[in-house]
Amino acid sequence: QVQLVESGGGLVQPGGSLRLSCAASGSIVRIYAMGWYRQAPGMQREMVATITSGGSTNYADSVKGRFTISRDNAKNTVYLQMNSLKPEDTAVYYCNARLTTYSRPYNSYDYWGQGTQVTVSS
């Protein structure tokens, strides 16, 4: 059993900042990539930022220079620092982790958090 628990969402004014956290727990053997995705009403889920176990990062063009993804491998936790937030950043943000478990140690699978709402509005 694996759980990804997100925190840090909320309501913020345009230009403000928020920091999202996501902690993975359970029978985890190894976590490979972790990332953040978001889904706005009526839209498809999209990648926001990803980070490998070695620290290589990838960002959506829309958030480059404003968002920073990081991770603490010892804590199985990934963070998303969001600065200069815009109304178009409003969405439910989902944490993702590709990992192996003790019950399935030879293949990695994607796991998702429950989502946290981020609303950017004045």
Side-chain angles (χ1 to χ4, degrees):
Q1 189 80 2
V2 173
Q3 284 190 317
L4 273 63
V5 179
E6 299 127 333
S7 61
L11 173 65
V12 64
Q13 292 187 341
S17 297
L18 281 175
R19 187 187 193 218
L20 305 183
S21 300
C22 171
S25 63
S27 57
I28 297 168
V29 173
R30 180 177 178 180
I31 301 178
Y32 295 88
M34 300 186 81
W36 290 94
Y37 293 72
R38 67 186 180 187
Q39 187 168 17
M43 304 292 286
Q44 289 191 333
R45 189 174 298 188
E46 62 175 359
M47 186 274 293
V48 176
T50 62
I51 184 168
T52 66
S53 57
S56 296
T57 59
N58 185 41
Y59 294 93
D61 288 343
S62 59
V63 307
K64 282 180 182 177
R66 301 188 298 122
F67 291 11
T68 302
I69 189 169
S70 61
R71 65 190 279 178
D72 184 333
N73 290 331
K75 296 181 178 180
N76 289 343
T77 299
V78 63
Y79 307 95
L80 185 68
Q81 178 66 43
M82 304 185 293
N83 299 327
S84 302
L85 282 160
K86 305 175 181 180
E88 51 263 43
D89 294 318
T90 296
V92 178
Y93 284 70
Y94 296 91
C95 172
N96 169 270
R98 172 153 291 194
L99 53 86
T100 55
T101 63
Y102 286 102
S103 61
R104 296 187 295 185
Y106 301 113
N107 293 291
S108 60
Y109 295 91
D110 284 324
Y111 291 82
W112 294 89
Q114 79 285 356
T116 185
Q117 178 70 46
V118 171
T119 302
V120 185
S121 174
S122 55

